[in-house]
């Protein structure tokens, strides 16, 4: 960023500068964190004043603070210090509105400069804030090309919020929740039911399920409970409910993943439909422009090439159902084929198979290292071209070790939330971890619902 100032001697009445700024929801969250102003009228889409419209009003002092941005960076610029600022508020600005901030020199004397300050809506010029600033102007010249401020990442999960908004209008997805006999698993299912994303049928030990409900103060009135003793037996009953047409999804409760999936892979009574079962983490990573898929991080330990084909295709199908443009980066330790590294060979083969139509619906490129899969600068440095390198939104990992580590690094270091889904079965299987947050559980149900109903329309 280039920063330059006008000294007191250079300033003349009538000099002006302006800034156009799109107010984002993240701006408002950052201001709330810095100022301590967590007024819900600024942070939520609630109708707190009862006028029939939702708020998300930009705080007045945030809008006014942009005046100081013009004074401090443009006119007079670096070296400027405030003495006084008057403010009159005439209207409100909201998230996702563009505003114009303008300052104009009125007079100067004895090192002090008076400026007219105003903020207007960019769309219609309507006045939001007016006032006057009195500043001490710089006396030394400043001109610098590479002045930068470190960027901030807001730990807010806007991609999951958008997914939930898409899922809520859909019919509630009938879902068999297997062994929801602890607070987390039962609470997640009931929260999704409250949001009208699923209609749960609770399958497992009825006494234990009711005890879990009592622990969290939940009312199970109107919710069907299928009393089954034993985890494997409960999973088998969930498969039967699918075959009977009573449910269109299965959700993991408080049981081991192996016990949930074992009946599903039974050739006679399970839920196989041709492809291998594969797992996808849909990750909402703060700062990323869209959800990021990590696959397979939970089921296939050391997948061979045919399994990786199914891993790619299942992930592409899910991305399409979420309205994404699937760009599959097949990861390895290097971005060139090395005969000593099997994952690089598999990646090259998957890329060529996509070119020949053996994997459809998305672009597949590999091998790619992690950096040049998701970072455009790294991809350019390595001379990688195409639409995937630097822009991958589906990451196919070499094996379960790499996938599990990557997903947990995103969760615990990058503050991502992850929705887990098993694909390749007759119905989507919602696979949550015991440590998952309520948002993760809710988003997993929403992803399953969107994927199911997208398939139903075909």
């Amino acid at each position: 960023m280039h920063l330059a100032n006008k000294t007191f001697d250079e300033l003349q009445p009538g000099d002006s500068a302006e800034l156009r700024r799109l107010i984002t929801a993240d701006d408002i969250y950052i201001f709330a964190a810095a100022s301590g102003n967590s007024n819900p009228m600024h942070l939520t889409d609630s109708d707190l004043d009862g006028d029939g419209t939702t708020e998300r009003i930009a705080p007045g002092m945030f809008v006014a603070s942009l005046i100081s941005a013009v004074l401090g960076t443009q006119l007079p610029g670096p070296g400027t210090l405030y003495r006084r600022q008057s403010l009159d508020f005439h209207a409100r600005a909201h998230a996702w509105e563009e505003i114009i901030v303008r300052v104009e020199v009125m007079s100067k004397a004895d090192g002090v400069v008076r400026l007219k300050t105003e903020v207007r809506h960019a769309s219609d010029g309507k006045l939001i804030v007016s006032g006057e600033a009195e500043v001490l102007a710089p006396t030394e010249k400043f001109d610098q090309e590479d002045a930068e401020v470190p960027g901030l990442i807001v730990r807010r999960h806007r991609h999951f919020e958008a997914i939930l908004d898409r899922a809520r209008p859909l019919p509630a997805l009938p879902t068999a929740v297997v062994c929801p006999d602890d607070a987390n698993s039962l609470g997640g299912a009931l929260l999704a039911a409250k949001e009208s994303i699923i209609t749960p049928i609770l399958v497992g030990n009825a006494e234990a399920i009711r005890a879990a409900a009592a622990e969290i103060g939940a009312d199970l009135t109107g919710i069907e409970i299928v009393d089954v003793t034993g985890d494997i037996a409960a999973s088998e009953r969930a498969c039967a409910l699918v075959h009977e047409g009573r449910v269109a999804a299965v959700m993991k409760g408080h049981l081991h993943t192996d016990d949930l999936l074992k009946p599903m892979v039974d050739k006679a009574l399970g839920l196989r439909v041709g492809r291998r079962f594969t797992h996808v983490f849909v990750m909402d990573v703060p700062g990323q422009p869209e959800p990021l898929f990590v696959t397979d991080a939970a089921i296939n330990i050391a997948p061979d090439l045919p399994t990786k084909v199914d891993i790619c295709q299942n992930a592409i199908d899910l991305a399409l159902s979420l309205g994404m443009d699937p760009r599959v980066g097949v990861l390895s330790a290097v971005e060139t084929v090395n005969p000593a590294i099997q994952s690089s060979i598999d990646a090259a083969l998957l890329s060529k198979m996509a070119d020949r139509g053996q994997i459809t619906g998305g672009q597949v490129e590999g091998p790619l290292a992690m950096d040049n899969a998701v970072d455009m600068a790294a991809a350019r440095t390595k001379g990688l071209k195409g639409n995937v390198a630097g822009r991958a939104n589906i990451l196919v990992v070499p094996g379960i070790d790499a996938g599990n580590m990557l997903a947990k690094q995103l969760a615990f270091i990058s503050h991502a939330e992850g929705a887990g889904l098993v694909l390749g079965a007759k119905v989507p299987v919602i696979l949550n971890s015991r440590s998952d947050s309520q948002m993760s559980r809710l988003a997993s149900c929403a992803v399953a619902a969107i994927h199911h109903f997208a398939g139903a329309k075909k």
Side-chain angles (χ1 to χ4, degrees):
M1 179 171 62
H2 179 220
L3 286 180
N5 64 6
K6 276 194 172 184
T7 65
F8 178 82
D9 292 337
E10 294 174 321
L11 290 167
Q12 298 296 327
D15 288 349
S16 65
E18 69 177 36
L19 168 72
R20 296 179 72 96
R21 174 68 177 264
L22 176 68
I23 300 173
T24 69
D26 283 356
D27 290 331
I28 297 174
Y29 280 110
I30 290 170
F31 183 80
S35 68
N37 180 6
S38 55
N39 183 347
M41 290 191 78
H42 306 312
L43 300 176
T44 71
D45 289 320
S46 304
D47 178 19
L48 297 183
D49 56 9
D51 65 355
T53 59
T54 57
E55 274 79 44
R56 195 59 71 90
I57 296 171
M61 293 308 295
F62 166 74
V63 176
S65 73
L66 298 178
I67 296 172
S68 71
V70 183
L71 296 173
T73 63
Q74 296 186 46
L75 188 76
T80 300
L81 293 173
Y82 256 128
R83 282 189 57 176
R84 185 179 64 85
Q85 173 76 59
S86 65
L87 298 169
D88 292 306
F89 294 89
H90 306 275
R92 303 297 176 190
H94 298 76
W96 307 115
E97 291 180 345
E98 188 177 27
I99 59 176
I100 298 175
V101 185
R102 190 174 189 276
V103 305
E104 180 180 337
V105 176
M106 299 171 65
S107 64
K108 67 175 189 175
D110 300 325
V112 176
V113 181
R114 290 177 58 241
L115 302 101
K116 177 184 177 181
T117 61
E118 64 179 30
V119 182
R120 295 181 180 270
H121 284 288
S123 59
D124 57 11
K126 185 177 180 181
L127 186 63
I128 302 171
V129 182
S130 64
E132 289 186 13
E134 195 174 274
V135 302
L136 296 174
T139 57
E140 299 293 329
K141 195 65 182 171
F142 182 94
D143 195 323
Q144 185 173 326
E145 283 288 347
D146 57 351
E148 293 292 342
V149 176
L152 297 178
I153 294 177
V154 177
R155 291 173 59 180
R156 184 176 65 85
H157 299 289
R158 58 191 176 96
H159 301 312
F160 278 0
E161 291 168 3
I163 287 171
L164 291 171
D165 287 342
R166 285 189 59 189
R168 288 186 181 104
L170 297 172
L173 184 68
T175 302
V177 187
V178 183
C179 300
D181 51 22
D182 76 326
N184 286 339
S185 59
L186 180 61
L190 295 181
L191 179 61
K194 183 180 179 181
E195 294 282 345
S196 300
I197 295 173
I198 69 170
T199 298
I201 296 178
L202 309 180
V203 183
N205 184 290
E207 184 178 349
I209 292 171
R210 291 191 179 97
E215 180 183 344
I216 60 175
D219 182 5
L220 299 182
T221 302
I223 297 178
E224 182 178 355
I225 300 176
V226 178
D227 189 12
V228 181
T229 301
D231 293 352
I232 295 290
S235 299
E236 291 173 343
R237 185 66 187 121
C239 292
L241 290 172
V242 172
H243 290 300
E244 293 166 12
R246 297 193 58 205
V247 299
V250 175
M251 183 176 182
K252 179 188 173 186
H254 188 224
L255 76 165
H256 290 294
T257 299
D258 289 348
D259 291 339
L260 176 71
L261 297 181
K262 184 176 180 180
M264 294 183 185
V265 298
D266 183 85
K267 292 183 179 180
L269 303 175
L271 303 180
R272 285 184 178 273
V273 290
R275 287 186 200 160
R276 291 164 177 80
F277 284 12
T278 68
H279 179 270
V280 177
F281 272 123
V282 180
M283 309 293 295
D284 188 339
V285 186
Q288 292 298 306
E290 59 186 333
L292 184 67
F293 289 14
V294 177
T295 185
D296 182 332
I299 294 180
N300 293 286
I301 297 173
D304 57 12
L305 182 64
T307 303
K308 288 181 179 178
V309 171
D310 286 349
I311 288 171
C312 286
Q313 192 64 66
N314 284 341
I316 288 171
D317 292 349
L318 179 61
L320 289 171
S321 70
L322 294 180
M324 297 169 59
D325 173 23
R327 298 183 298 276
V328 181
V330 188
L331 298 183
S332 184
V334 293
E335 63 281 340
T336 55
V337 176
N338 184 331
I341 303 176
Q342 184 61 43
S343 62
S344 74
I345 299 172
D346 288 350
L349 291 171
L350 291 168
S351 179
K352 180 55 66 176
M353 292 173 78
D355 290 343
R356 299 288 173 87
Q358 292 172 272
I359 301 171
T360 61
Q363 302 170 81
V364 181
E365 188 173 323
L368 293 173
M370 181 65 189
D371 56 347
N372 48 57
V374 297
D375 184 82
M376 187 61 72
R380 288 172 178 165
T381 298
K382 293 295 179 72
L384 300 175
K385 300 178 181 179
N387 292 325
V388 176
R391 301 176 62 238
N393 53 19
I394 298 172
L395 301 178
V396 174
V397 297
I400 198 169
D401 285 344
N404 189 271
M405 287 183 224
L406 174 56
K408 288 182 177 177
Q409 285 168 350
L410 291 172
F412 290 96
I413 296 177
S414 298
H415 309 295
E417 293 274 7
L421 210 62
V422 175
L423 303 170
K426 186 175 181 179
V427 298
V429 180
I430 302 162
L431 199 63
N432 294 116
S433 168
R434 283 171 289 184
S435 62
D436 280 349
S437 69
Q438 285 193 335
M439 174 58 87
S440 289
R441 295 174 186 274
L442 196 57
S444 296
C445 294
V447 170
I450 293 170
H451 186 53
H452 169 76
F453 288 110
K457 292 179 180 178
K458 294 179 181 178

